[in-house]
Amino acid sequence: MFNSSDKSIESNRSEDAIPSRAIHHSTTNNTLISEKCVVTGELTGENDMDVLGKVEGTILLKKNSVRVETTAEVNADIFVNKIKIYGKVVGNIEAGERIVIPSGGSVIGDMTAPSIVLEDGSYFKGKITMTDKPVIDLKNAKTSDKKPEELQNTVKATS
């Protein structure tokens, strides 16, 4: 029971195991920030994102979900639809639908969403604000003042 193997950890991470904790994450066309990658700047896009490496700056994926894996270190303000954090996040998070921090996940910063789940074994330090409706008004949510051609130079990736 207390001896866990990688297989049991993966089975506990099933997105549908507990519906209130589920973050349905696309399995195709995801943006992947690999384990040895460091990204600095403002990240925007139209795909779901898996973070295994380091991110510093801002993540603006208001219509999408983000999964922060155990190897990830994120020092960013995050604006997403849904997020599940297995790794470490330092920064404020605003989610349109849900924030989930499973066992082993860590957040230092304020969180705002209609649904926030902190599982046993997770770590959180900050303020929680829960609302009765989606937080992010997609028409009025934070966006960059920069033109698309200027945004091309705002993200620097190193590995």
Side-chain angles (χ1 to χ4, degrees):
M1 179 168 134
F2 294 104
N3 293 332
S4 63
S5 67
D6 290 338
K7 287 182 182 179
S8 67
I9 291 170
E10 286 301 317
S11 68
N12 289 338
R13 289 181 61 175
S14 171
E15 298 299 324
D16 294 322
I18 302 172
S20 66
R21 299 178 188 169
I23 300 288
H24 296 285
H25 194 67
S26 172
T27 56
T28 59
N29 296 324
N30 285 358
T31 300
L32 174 67
I33 298 175
S34 65
E35 204 170 325
K36 297 190 185 220
C37 188
V38 177
V39 178
T40 304
E42 183 177 279
L43 296 174
T44 62
E46 296 294 322
N47 295 344
D48 291 343
M49 179 180 290
D50 293 308
V51 180
L52 285 79
K54 294 183 181 182
V55 175
E56 296 178 2
T58 305
I59 298 174
L60 294 168
L61 296 170
K62 298 171 293 226
K63 296 179 184 178
N64 304 94
S65 68
V66 172
R67 190 167 43 213
V68 178
E69 295 293 347
T70 57
T71 56
E73 293 181 24
V74 177
N75 186 0
D77 288 331
I78 302 171
F79 303 88
V80 295
N81 189 37
K82 296 178 262 185
I83 186 167
K84 197 161 197 177
I85 302 162
Y86 297 101
K88 297 177 185 176
V89 172
V90 176
N92 298 325
I93 304 169
E94 288 188 16
E97 290 185 33
R98 177 175 294 145
I99 300 169
V100 178
I101 308 173
S103 178
S106 169
V107 172
I108 299 174
D110 297 341
M111 298 190 298
T112 304
S115 173
I116 299 174
V117 178
L118 300 170
E119 294 183 8
D120 288 346
S122 64
Y123 177 82
F124 169 72
K125 182 177 181 182
K127 180 177 83 173
I128 290 179
T129 303
M130 293 180 68
T131 63
D132 60 349
K133 54 187 168 184
V135 174
I136 297 176
D137 177 352
L138 296 176
K139 294 178 183 173
N140 297 321
K142 179 182 175 184
T143 57
S144 175
D145 294 332
K146 296 179 182 178
K147 297 176 185 169
E149 55 272 5
E150 292 173 340
L151 286 174
Q152 291 176 353
N153 297 323
T154 62
V155 175
K156 298 175 187 173
T158 59
S159 35

